[in-house]
Amino acid sequence: MDVLIQSLSESLTPFVILLMALGVLVGLLFGTVPGLTATMGMALFVPFTFGLDPVPGIAFLICLHLGGVSGGLVASTLLGIPGTPSSIATTFDAYPMSKNGEPLRALGIGVVASLVGGLLSFIALVTISPVISRFAVQMGPFEFFALIFFALSLVAVLAKGSMLKGITAGFLGLAAGLVGFAPIDGLQRYTVGILELKGGFALLPLIMGLFAISQILIEILGDSKSQKIDFKAKGFAFSLGETIKNGWNLIRSSLIGIAFGILPGLGSGTSNLVAYAQAKQASKTPKRFGKGAPEGIYASESANTASVGGSLIPMLSLGIPGDTVTAILLGGFMVHGLQPGPLFFTSNPDIVYVVFIAFFIAMVFVFLIQLFGMKLFTRVLTVPKQYLFPIIFVLTIVGAYTTNSSVFDIWVMLLFGVIGFFLVRNGFPIAPMILGFILGPLLETYLRRALMTTGNPVDFFTNPVSTIFILAGIACVVFTLIGEMKEKRRNRIDDSLHM
């Protein structure tokens, strides 16, 4: 108790609170502007903490981390561009809701969902981090392969209604993920003699191409009419009753976010897509998804925020970063002479409490800033398109270039922008392609590691955990296919009756 009181007294000084507020604002900025990410913000501002004491330095970085993930909501909702990979799924329903004239409602739902996800991940971080981390570290390549296989099977759910097109998009993503050095043996694949392709396609230019550039092309070449926007929504534009109705959706999505945050290499970029797919599968009205369904926003935003707390669990308990942001954060700890790991909770209990306090305060700051700034944020929609699109285009160019300081990434972004344009215009969903691109290389890596361990594919089905995930993935595809066939049969019967 004395350590907690000491940590509170050190964390709640005016200087540290000001630093935490600054960290949240910087994170929100990097999350909101397309092309800037929490990873980039963390990398740029870790040196800023060198001259600080451990308490204010660590508190600032924790706040920046949470703000960076949460900031993607604004760009996803108002511009249809994921500010960060963690907000890809938010775009699917928040942007249509915004185009339908309800940007405030979409932002309000996202803000509340982020708060719920943050609270649940905070509880997990404080209470069960050692237990969960101990279980996660025991997972081997067989279990990781099966888990990723299950996540990939959700392509069927994301593609429901046009499974052939969805699976085609998923395979396009898998194919894009194969470019570059192969995992384990380092064999060059599909580089066609281009030096820059040896490292594969970077995620950020690909995402900005598929979403930002394709959206700009659609708006310029299409005939979309501007919608009447409701800037006079009462209160904070979200309904408490609707939030309570989505209670199980929020809990399930937050648990997915926590779990994917804990598992190394997955994180918020995957968790929001998986949570979205699960919400769509469980929904009684799956046809609403992609057209402005509140359930989709609740699922994505709660999952991506929850993954922040989840990613801190293995880093603090085991010294294993859950994603790239926590990998840089781990370096920030080491700069201050701190070594997260199994002994961290006993050797530095004061810093552990500082992390907990900073995470909670960051969550409150993010909630208040986004809640009271909603009506200001939505004014971006009043900017004429002939001024807005050039600004967005310039930001995407800068963002693509700063990924690796390479002009080649700009061309990659433009290429995938054209691909995304033709996919959307022809009814192909983008989500399966993103999921395939992110998870494909991980699936191959763990498959190779598993086969190198025993050399026997049968072992995937002798391991209880991997067996459960593989069978769950197969069942997900089969039941989705059966449901789609029944729905088509029902539609044919209805059409014949109305003739």
Side-chain angles (χ1 to χ4, degrees), residues 202-210 400 403 409-410 412-414 416:
L203 176 61
L204 196 61
L206 181 140
I207 288 175
M208 288 193 295
L210 289 175
T403 304
D409 284 331
I410 298 175
V412 169
M413 180 188 70
L414 296 175
F416 280 98

Side-chain angles (χ1 to χ4, degrees), residues 122-189:
F122 173 76
I123 293 170
L125 177 64
V126 172
T127 58
I128 59 175
S129 56
V131 178
I132 295 179
S133 297
R134 202 174 299 121
F135 171 76
V137 79
Q138 291 175 352
M139 291 181 66
F142 290 97
E143 291 88 353
F144 272 110
F145 170 84
L147 176 65
I148 295 169
F149 174 82
F150 170 72
L152 271 174
S153 71
L154 296 173
V155 165
V157 180
L158 293 170
K160 191 174 181 181
S162 180
M163 188 169 288
L164 180 61
K165 290 183 176 181
I167 291 175
T168 302
F171 274 108
L172 280 175
L174 286 170
L178 291 174
V179 175
F181 288 118
I184 311 297
D185 59 17
L187 182 70
Q188 285 188 43
R189 301 184 301 197

Side-chain angles (χ1 to χ4, degrees), residues 64-88:
L64 191 154
H65 184 11
L66 186 63
V69 171
S70 302
L73 168 67
V74 177
S76 296
T77 302
L78 303 181
L79 304 176
I81 303 169
T84 64
S86 62
S87 58
I88 293 170

Side-chain angles (χ1 to χ4, degrees), residues 49-73:
T49 68
F50 288 176
L52 298 173
D53 291 332
V55 170
I58 297 302
F60 172 82
L61 293 176
I62 294 293
C63 291
L64 191 154
H65 184 11
L66 186 63
V69 171
S70 302
L73 168 67

Side-chain angles (χ1 to χ4, degrees), residues 38 100 126 156-157 251 327 377 381 416 443:
N100 291 336
V126 172
V157 180
I251 294 171
F377 296 151
L381 298 177
F416 280 98
L443 186 78

